[in-house]
Amino acid sequence: MLQKGSQMLLLWALGLVWLTCGFTTVCESAMGANAASKNDCYRKTCMEIKYDIREAVCCENRLDSGAGLSCCGQQSFNPAVATCCKVEHGKATTALTQGLSETVSACCELKAYDSLNEICCQSTILAKPAPKAQCCGKEAFDEDKQMCCGRNRTILTRNSTHHQCCGDDQYDMKTQCCCEKNETLTVQPKDSSCCAEALGASEAFDEDKHMYCGRNRTILTRNSTHHQCCGDDQYDMKTQCCCEKNETLTVQPKDSSCCAEALGASGVKNKNKNRPQLNCTSLCGSSCYNPNMSRCCERNQTKARWCCTPGMTGKCDAVPTVYDPKKQVCCDGCVSEKRPWIDQCCGETPYGLAQRGVLCCNNTLYKDREDGEECSESNIPYNPAKGTICCSQFHGSPGQHCCGAEVYWPQTEICCNGHRNPKVENMHCCGVKAYNIKDPQMKCCAGTLYNLTQLGRVGHDARCCGSILQNPLDVCCSREDKEVLYTNKTGFRCCGHLYYNTSLWSCCADKLSPVHQPGQHQSQTSNESRLLSVNNLNETDLCEEMLIGTVESVSLNSTVLSSVLKICGRNGTVKPLPSPHILETLNRCDSPKLIPGKTYFFDRVNVFIDFNHDSILQSLSFIISKCYHF
Ligand SMILES: *[C@@H]1O[C@H](CO)[C@@H](O)[C@H](O)[C@H]1NC(C)=O
Ligand SMILES: *[C@@H]1O[C@H](CO)[C@@H](O)[C@H](O)[C@H]1NC(C)=O
Ligand SMILES: *[C@@H]1O[C@H](CO)[C@@H](O)[C@H](O)[C@H]1NC(C)=O
Ligand SMILES: *[C@@H]1O[C@H](CO)[C@@H](O)[C@H](O)[C@H]1NC(C)=O
Ligand SMILES: *[C@@H]1O[C@H](CO)[C@@H](O)[C@H](O)[C@H]1NC(C)=O
Ligand SMILES: *[C@@H]1O[C@H](CO)[C@@H](O)[C@H](O)[C@H]1NC(C)=O
Ligand SMILES: *[C@@H]1O[C@H](CO)[C@@H](O)[C@H](O)[C@H]1NC(C)=O
Ligand SMILES: *[C@@H]1O[C@H](CO)[C@@H](O)[C@H](O)[C@H]1NC(C)=O
Ligand SMILES: *[C@@H]1O[C@H](CO)[C@@H](O)[C@H](O)[C@H]1NC(C)=O
Ligand SMILES: *[C@@H]1O[C@H](CO)[C@@H](O)[C@H](O)[C@H]1NC(C)=O
Ligand SMILES: *[C@@H]1O[C@H](CO)[C@@H](O)[C@H](O)[C@H]1NC(C)=O
Ligand SMILES: *[C@@H]1O[C@H](CO)[C@@H](O)[C@H](O)[C@H]1NC(C)=O
């Protein structure tokens, strides 16, 4: 308790007054108000039209349907295949770049670029000349081999690691110096008079007489030993202070308001430290109290609200006060007398569980309730014997099942993410829609359903990349938690979810490292490192034989798995295999990174994960439902 009190004090001194009271009956009401997103069951309104945020998006009063969409100004877009860039020149302007996922892009003004392989220099997108590329004016250079020198931003090939810029030229730090002659920087031999002067000056630097101040390390002549840096200036600690004004450090007289604030905060701390003998270890607002005997109730987010003086109810004072938790209850900043049957809070109202006819839902106390009423999932009191509440909507028949805001009949319907669909044989959910998983012309990509016939595609070449049905020529790079779609480019390969230029980077087990000799392509013979998706296996491969197991440990040469099951989808059988199961690693760098404790699907060659389902049970059910012919 003492520790808690001093933490509170510290926060208080810093002006952060949002505190928890560390006491169950108080101040909990501040939470929970924001946790309502599930209760509105993903519904919002757009120009008075109700819509499901999983199915549509409302961009500046325009409703566009589609799953996973975001807004780019007035336009809707899918961040898996496009990037929105925003620039504020007076007013905000937005622009979309198609064909580049937001997960791997950055913006160069209004145009998006691939930040792994490209660089933005003065609003121009350039291919990186090297992994450690930097901008030099409008051009890019290789930091390892080049330098960007002078006012004219000239790119020079660095002669050696001990060469540095001197104006627009470079000089050898071992044999030369860079000195000022006639107001221009020139390279001179170390024994020249110009160098001697320049070196002499730096040797004369005396810390008692000079200081380096500010970000630019400006050399100042120290006025006295009690002068210190304040930004790029100095100040006299005896008569002045260095305080922050409008986000910059400024020197101010000690009696100024700026100094008073800066010093005041520390003053409060000291005052308390000096008074431990009063049995008073903490501050409650400006009064002192002992947390072992009383509680200080303080809460604040935007408005200051404090406990009022004991005995008062209703109105709250602007002053925090101490109250006695044995005799009083403090609800949402208001103190009232504790009674045996009124011992806790419902929002700002004190109440007790033993009271009859009251119900506390979402910190609101409802009175005159009938016996048997409960708080619904959407925090409205209702009587389950009289009806069903689905997403805040009351339906007059009790004991129903909810699907979104509606009730539904599980005997004849299937509920997909809050949407009712007719129940037909082999129906499974894909996002808010249901489809027949045995229909080879329907493809579900992470919650988005595609009708291949409509798109003029055939089942066996249809592959998903995340929620996108990918074009056969595109490339999907994936790792454990991400799948990212890219436009096919020669000289590029996948490394986890990244698509890298092989002349810049090399990849080993999902980890990129810079190539030391840019321009020399890596050998193209080896396979790429990526986790494959169960969802993209064709029926032959998926239904014949799949293994599933939990990774125990990973070494350079092999992976050990436990709890391995053999799934023969076609036969509808699952059989355990002896543990541990060892999976040989053919080439460590080309194997995707596997995490011990996680469960993966695998066959003799590849490792897969199921991006479409949230649990192993759902994946198993999917495989057997799809493969087994009853
Ligand atoms: C920098 O460029 C300007 C114009 O391009 C030129 O006049 C000037 O001589 C250059 N300065 C140096 C130090 O090269
Ligand atoms: C850098 O190397 C070039 C060519 O080798 C040479 O001409 C130049 O003098 C060198 N510059 C310095 C400052 O060492
Ligand atoms: C210094 O530069 C000025 C012009 O910038 C020139 O007139 C003068 O001759 C130069 N002096 C020397 C010593 O180079
Ligand atoms: C530091 O130097 C940079 C460039 O030389 C300049 O733009 C900036 O204003 C300087 N900052 C301060 C605080 O003087
Ligand atoms: C430091 O000394 C200079 C010259 O004596 C004076 O102008 C300046 O105000 C002094 N600065 C401070 C912060 O005392
Ligand atoms: C604070 O800084 C902003 C811009 O940085 C400026 O517009 C404003 O006038 C400054 N306010 C004061 C009080 O100096
Ligand atoms: C809970 O109460 C807060 C504040 O009174 C309100 O904004 C929110 O909508 C309520 N949540 C539900 C589910 O009724
Ligand atoms: C898919 O589209 C085709 C052509 O429009 C249509 O005939 C078929 O019924 C659709 N399939 C489903 C399951 O909606
Ligand atoms: C990418 O294109 C190259 C030729 O342009 C082709 O050889 C390669 O198979 C393509 N890759 C994919 C995944 O389609
Ligand atoms: C399924 O894919 C495998 C290769 O992964 C291929 O050998 C086989 O022919 C494919 N089967 C069908 C029916 O497309
Ligand atoms: C792992 O493979 C390397 C080279 O492929 C080999 O030298 C090493 O002995 C192997 N280690 C084990 C434990 O098999
Ligand atoms: C499936 O069952 C058939 C006959 O019952 C059997 O011949 C076949 O080997 C089984 N397939 C697998 C993969 O177990």
Side-chain angles (χ1 to χ4, degrees):
M1 260 303 145
L2 193 75
Q3 203 188 355
K4 189 140 204 162
S6 52
Q7 268 171 12
M8 282 165 71
L9 176 67
L10 183 62
L11 291 171
W12 166 240
L14 293 170
L16 303 171
V17 233
W18 164 236
L19 301 170
T20 51
C21 296
F23 186 58
T24 48
T25 62
V26 264
C27 297
E28 285 186 340
S29 66
M31 325 298 278
N34 303 333
S37 68
K38 196 171 185 277
N39 289 326
D40 62 21
C41 293
Y42 306 101
R43 275 172 175 79
K44 282 192 175 174
T45 49
C46 185
M47 298 296 283
E48 292 169 16
I49 302 169
K50 273 215 161 171
Y51 71 98
D52 185 324
I53 58 169
R54 294 163 307 184
E55 263 195 309
V57 72
C58 181
C59 299
E60 294 178 10
N61 294 331
R62 242 188 55 181
L63 188 64
D64 281 331
S65 59
L69 298 182
S70 293
C71 293
C72 187
Q74 273 195 324
Q75 248 180 311
S76 66
F77 76 105
N78 189 337
V81 289
T83 299
C84 177
C85 292
K86 192 170 174 182
V87 172
E88 282 187 59
H89 288 310
K91 68 172 194 186
T93 318
T94 53
L96 271 181
T97 305
Q98 294 292 343
L100 191 56
S101 164
E102 277 201 345
T103 45
V104 291
S105 67
C107 287
C108 187
E109 294 278 317
L110 284 172
K111 205 151 175 11
Y113 67 100
D114 157 16
S115 53
L116 179 64
N117 304 297
E118 294 174 325
I119 186 169
C120 170
C121 295
Q122 292 188 353
S123 312
T124 311
I125 301 169
L126 302 165
K128 278 189 188 173
K132 281 195 190 164
Q134 293 284 340
C135 290
C136 183
K138 275 198 176 118
E139 288 170 84
F141 74 103
D142 177 356
E143 214 185 23
D144 283 340
K145 295 198 170 136
Q146 297 174 311
M147 295 187 291
C148 175
C149 295
R151 275 209 209 135
N152 282 4
R153 316 309 285 152
T154 316
I155 298 174
L156 299 179
T157 302
R158 192 191 282 268
N159 278 19
S160 80
T161 51
H162 44 85
H163 275 71
Q164 288 289 343
C165 287
C166 181
D168 286 323
D169 288 323
Q170 58 181 309
Y171 75 104
D172 182 340
M173 290 195 295
K174 290 198 173 161
T175 60
Q176 298 173 315
C177 94
C178 176
C179 65
E180 208 182 299
K181 215 172 181 180
N182 203 8
E183 306 211 334
T184 53
L185 292 169
T186 59
V187 177
Q188 298 285 331
K190 241 184 178 159
D191 55 9
S192 68
S193 64
C194 186
C195 286
E197 260 173 50
L199 294 173
S202 68
E203 268 159 27
F205 184 86
D206 177 348
E207 276 195 30
D208 283 343
K209 293 188 180 139
H210 302 274
M211 298 184 286
Y212 284 117
C213 291
R215 264 198 225 153
N216 284 1
R217 316 293 292 143
T218 315
I219 300 178
L220 294 183
T221 306
R222 197 189 272 256
N223 279 17
S224 81
T225 50
H226 45 85
H227 274 70
Q228 286 288 346
C229 289
C230 181
D232 286 321
D233 288 325
Q234 57 181 311
Y235 76 106
D236 182 340
M237 290 194 295
K238 290 197 173 162
T239 59
Q240 299 173 312
C241 92
C242 177
C243 65
E244 210 182 297
K245 213 172 182 178
N246 206 7
E247 306 210 336
T248 53
L249 291 171
T250 59
V251 177
Q252 298 284 333
K254 240 183 181 159
D255 55 9
S256 67
S257 64
C258 186
C259 288
E261 260 173 49
L263 297 171
S266 56
V268 170
K269 248 188 257 172
N270 295 340
K271 202 159 81 186
N272 192 56
K273 256 188 212 156
N274 296 337
R275 288 169 56 183
Q277 76 279 12
L278 281 181
N279 229 356
C280 155
T281 48
S282 296
L283 272 185
C284 185
S286 56
S287 47
C288 175
Y289 79 111
N290 180 349
N292 289 333
M293 294 166 69
S294 331
R295 299 272 185 285
C296 174
C297 182
E298 305 171 72
R299 65 176 289 257
N300 190 331
Q301 270 168 320
T302 48
K303 277 180 286 177
R305 250 191 118 171
W306 310 98
C307 288
C308 7
T309 42
M312 267 176 74
T313 48
K315 268 199 190 161
C316 284
D317 214 326
V319 186
T321 317
V322 174
Y323 76 100
D324 179 352
K326 288 200 193 88
K327 294 184 186 145
Q328 295 167 317
V329 252
C330 173
C331 294
D332 205 22
C334 293
V335 174
S336 53
E337 290 310 310
K338 196 174 190 169
R339 296 194 191 91
W341 63 96
I342 295 183
D343 56 356
Q344 47 190 293
C345 297
C346 182
E348 53 180 76
T349 320
Y351 90 113
L353 285 178
Q355 264 182 302
R356 289 208 68 180
V358 297
L359 192 60
C360 179
C361 300
N362 190 24
N363 288 319
T364 304
L365 193 67
Y366 295 86
K367 290 186 177 154
D368 305 323
R369 307 316 300 184
E370 297 168 15
D371 280 349
E373 285 195 28
E374 292 174 6
C375 298
S376 74
E377 225 175 285
S378 42
N379 279 309
I380 303 169
Y382 82 112
N383 191 337
K386 294 200 171 156
T388 308
I389 286 197
C390 301
C391 292
S392 317
Q393 247 162 62
F394 183 80
H395 300 271
S397 53
Q400 295 274 50
H401 287 276
C402 292
C403 184
E406 297 169 45
V407 293
Y408 85 110
W409 296 94
Q411 290 81 358
T412 56
E413 291 172 317
I414 173 168
C415 177
C416 296
N417 262 337
H419 292 252
R420 289 156 58 202
N421 289 275
K423 184 167 157 183
V424 192
E425 211 186 346
N426 300 321
M427 280 308 210
H428 275 235
C429 290
C430 180
V432 298
K433 299 198 177 115
Y435 74 111
N436 178 352
I437 51 166
K438 290 214 203 284
D439 183 347
Q441 285 301 97
M442 299 303 287
K443 186 89 179 168
C444 178
C445 296
T448 304
L449 188 62
Y450 295 91
N451 181 338
L452 301 178
T453 316
Q454 256 167 29
L455 299 168
R457 302 273 294 269
V458 281
H460 65 79
D461 80 344
R463 293 169 150 269
C464 297
C465 186
S467 61
I468 306 297
L469 182 72
Q470 75 173 81
N471 187 304
L473 292 177
D474 284 345
V475 179
C476 185
C477 298
S478 59
R479 62 155 206 220
E480 198 72 32
D481 53 349
K482 280 195 190 122
E483 287 184 291
V484 181
L485 192 62
Y486 295 91
T487 312
N488 185 1
K489 278 195 211 158
T490 46
F492 280 64
R493 291 172 67 199
C494 286
C495 186
H497 71 292
L498 298 171
Y499 195 48
Y500 68 98
N501 184 338
T502 52
S503 65
L504 294 177
W505 309 101
S506 66
C507 178
C508 184
D510 288 2
K511 209 168 168 296
L512 282 175
S513 39
V515 165
H516 291 296
Q517 308 269 268
Q520 293 193 347
H521 285 234
Q522 291 295 99
S523 78
Q524 297 285 314
T525 48
S526 54
N527 287 312
E528 288 173 83
S529 136
R530 56 180 154 173
L531 270 176
L532 300 175
S533 169
V534 169
N535 199 29
N536 288 337
L537 281 170
N538 68 27
E539 218 179 296
T540 328
D541 288 343
L542 181 73
C543 297
E544 279 307 314
E545 184 179 305
M546 285 289 285
L547 301 174
I548 184 173
T550 302
V551 170
E552 287 291 316
S553 59
V554 181
S555 84
L556 289 182
N557 305 10
S558 59
T559 302
V560 169
L561 297 113
S562 66
S563 308
V564 177
L565 300 175
K566 184 168 88 175
I567 309 158
C568 300
R570 183 109 47 231
N571 289 6
T573 58
V574 175
K575 286 180 190 148
L577 295 188
S579 278
H581 185 92
I582 298 156
L583 198 61
E584 298 293 336
T585 306
L586 296 176
N587 179 337
R588 190 178 70 94
C589 282
D590 291 338
S591 306
K593 189 178 173 200
L594 301 182
I595 300 164
K598 293 222 169 193
T599 300
Y600 298 89
F601 287 93
F602 54 101
D603 58 17
R604 291 199 158 71
V605 191
N606 293 303
V607 180
F608 306 87
I609 51 177
D610 188 349
F611 291 101
N612 258 9
H613 297 105
D614 295 330
S615 73
I616 299 299
L617 194 57
Q618 282 177 2
S619 302
L620 275 179
S621 162
F622 168 80
I623 294 172
I624 294 175
S625 308
K626 193 167 171 74
C627 301
Y628 185 59
H629 293 283
F630 295 92

